Amino acid sequence: MAVGLVIGGGPAGLMAAEAMADAGLKVMVAEAKPSLGRKLLMAGKSGLNLTKDEPLPAFLDAYREAASTLSPMLDAFGPDAVQAWAQGLGQDLFTGTTGRVFPKVMKASPLLRAWQARLRDKGVDLRTRWRWTDWSSPKSGPNSDPASRTTLHFETPDGPQDITPDVTVLALGGASWPRLGSDGIWARHFDIAPFRPANVGLSIRWSDHMQAQFGQPLKSIALSAGDEVSRGECTITRRGLEGAGIYALSHILRDGTALHMDLVPDIPLDRLRAKLAKRRRGDSLASHLRRAIRLDPAKRALLMEFGRPLPDDIAPLLKALPIPHDGAMPMEQAISTAGGLRLSDLDEGLMLRDRPGTFAAGEMLDWEAPTGGYLLTACLATGLWAGRAAARYAQR
């Protein structure tokens, strides 16, 4: 029986392990942390957004430059398949008004427990506190042996251990949330695209006057950077702005692109001017903005923070308030990362071109997507794809 090794116990790694077990391989999963799926469990604290229920062409647009490479994988395991997979693990699902799909229990632990039980029933050996440290094998070349196999070295609770599998799937995550296991240490073994924070908050140096607004949400706004616009919400925090609206633009903002905020996106400029022209005698500006356009305290604070000295015609400023910023927050505060193994360095089965028999999946690949179910779906899809390809390679 061929032996398959998976390094990394997150969604991509577990999906690869299940695919190899289903193909008849003897499979071991090696996870450095004391338990599996730690980042998945953290995502579950906010409801576990599994996927997004939308047509595949629109779904693929979220992956931008990587869409063409990921297309066959997401076609094989897209939003519908993710929902069927979760239901097969006993999870009842619901779809929100924006198309985001969640388990009804709004957490990840029941799904993860059921998944681990199913993997064990299929004979998958789940090892924790096994940290991969190095490997030894001649890389491919004109004089290499095509049948040679890689030996992988681990630090384990029982001391150093070596494994020489027929195939290996690496699913080591990106470089965000290092305390959960995605520390990017594995990158020292490869020539990678540099890691960059993705789905991350925006650093802003507030004046003391903004302290009263920390923790306040900004709703019904539109954020614009470059040619892209986000209608998602965000929150004013001590460190800057955080939330889905900002995360959707972080791939642009991290490079220093200017940010503008439309505080009243549902009111056209001409209509806004007309509303603002009807000011009651004796009304302060704050009262006038509250009465005329229902501008809440957080938005009024932003206007005073970045709009002063206010012009006589403040309507254009309300529609495009500049938000000075210092770029993305640190990578360890990001939900995910861009960078990693270049897709051009892997073949169509996600096998490393210079190391036959070694495959890669999940966030350690150089792709990124916004939150909203896209991240988890692609991790599952690439894990399944790599696992199936690894099984075919082993069986040849």
Side-chain angles (χ1 to χ4, degrees):
M1 179 184 292
V3 175
L5 172 67
V6 176
I7 307 179
L14 296 182
M15 186 62 79
E18 188 159 20
M20 289 192 287
D22 287 343
L25 273 64
K26 181 180 179 180
V27 183
M28 187 182 97
V29 175
E31 165 59 45
K33 290 295 184 178
S35 57
L36 304 177
R38 290 194 160 199
K39 195 171 179 182
L40 181 68
L41 291 172
M42 176 62 75
K45 289 188 175 182
S46 59
L48 190 61
N49 185 186
L50 289 168
T51 191
K52 190 171 184 182
D53 188 9
E54 66 181 356
L56 188 59
F59 195 84
L60 283 169
D61 286 345
Y63 300 93
R64 293 185 290 274
E65 295 86 353
S68 59
T69 301
L70 296 178
S71 177
M73 304 170 205
L74 291 165
D75 186 52
F77 197 81
D80 292 342
V82 170
Q83 294 178 67
W85 165 79
Q87 289 166 339
L89 288 168
Q91 301 305 298
D92 294 326
L93 309 178
F94 75 93
T95 302
T97 55
T98 61
R100 297 184 179 193
V101 179
F102 302 85
K104 286 186 177 179
V105 294
M106 293 296 284
K107 55 185 179 181
S109 51
L111 181 147
L112 185 58
R113 283 196 301 269
W115 196 5
Q116 291 183 70
R118 188 167 76 184
L119 288 168
R120 290 190 178 97
D121 288 344
K122 293 181 179 184
V124 177
D125 184 6
L126 303 174
R127 303 285 184 93
T128 55
R129 294 187 173 91
W130 274 55
R131 178 173 288 278
W132 175 50
T133 58
D134 205 352
W135 50 12
S136 55
S137 170
K139 292 187 178 181
S140 63
N143 300 316
S144 66
D145 178 4
S148 64
R149 295 184 297 167
T150 297
T151 297
L152 298 107
H153 311 297
F154 294 87
E155 292 177 354
T156 80
D158 298 318
Q161 300 283 338
D162 292 344
I163 302 291
T164 307
D166 293 289
V167 287
T168 300
V169 176
L170 304 176
L172 293 158
S176 63
W177 291 95
R179 66 186 179 86
L180 300 179
S182 295
D183 53 23
I185 292 174
W186 58 266
R188 66 180 183 268
H189 298 292
F190 303 92
D191 176 20
I192 69 163
F195 287 123
R196 292 170 293 163
N199 293 300
V200 66
L202 195 64
S203 292
I204 297 175
R205 285 175 281 182
W206 304 112
S207 71
D208 293 341
H209 299 291
M210 287 297 293
Q211 290 185 15
Q213 305 304 323
F214 292 166
Q216 293 301 310
L218 292 167
K219 300 181 178 181
S220 299
I221 59 171
L223 298 159
S224 60
D227 296 329
E228 297 196 30
V229 177
S230 168
R231 283 297 304 262
E233 299 176 0
C234 60
T235 300
I236 300 171
T237 72
R238 184 177 301 276
R239 297 177 297 187
L241 292 174
E242 301 185 52
I246 286 291
Y247 299 159
L249 299 175
S250 60
H251 65 289
I252 301 176
L253 296 172
R254 68 187 173 211
D255 296 325
T257 302
L259 174 68
H260 290 82
M261 184 182 296
D262 186 343
L263 299 174
V264 283
D266 299 319
I267 306 177
L269 180 60
D270 290 346
R271 187 177 163 206
L272 179 61
R273 281 195 172 113
K275 283 178 170 288
L276 294 175
K278 301 173 183 179
R279 185 169 180 175
R280 296 182 182 181
R281 181 175 296 180
D283 256 2
S284 67
L285 178 60
S287 296
H288 178 50
L289 292 173
R290 185 181 68 251
R291 293 177 189 276
I293 57 175
R294 298 181 180 179
L295 205 67
D296 62 44
K299 292 180 180 180
R300 296 199 303 269
L302 279 179
L303 177 65
M304 300 308 291
E305 179 79 356
F306 298 128
R308 291 186 294 181
L310 296 177
D312 293 336
D313 180 9
I314 65 169
L317 193 61
L318 290 166
K319 296 294 292 179
L321 179 68
I323 309 292
H325 64 86
D326 295 328
M329 291 179 184
M331 190 146 51
E332 61 269 18
Q333 298 170 16
I335 292 175
S336 60
T337 50
L341 292 176
R342 296 178 178 87
L343 295 173
S344 59
D345 291 339
L346 289 85
D347 70 8
E348 64 278 2
L350 297 181
M351 184 172 75
L352 277 66
R353 296 185 188 277
D354 67 350
R355 197 172 285 272
T358 300
F359 299 74
E363 284 192 62
M364 68 182 298
L365 306 181
D366 183 19
W367 59 271
E368 62 178 312
T371 58
Y374 303 105
L375 292 169
L376 182 54
T377 299
C379 285
L380 295 169
T382 56
L384 180 66
W385 191 267
R388 287 175 172 174
R392 290 193 297 270
Y393 184 92
Q395 290 166 342
R396 284 203 303 269

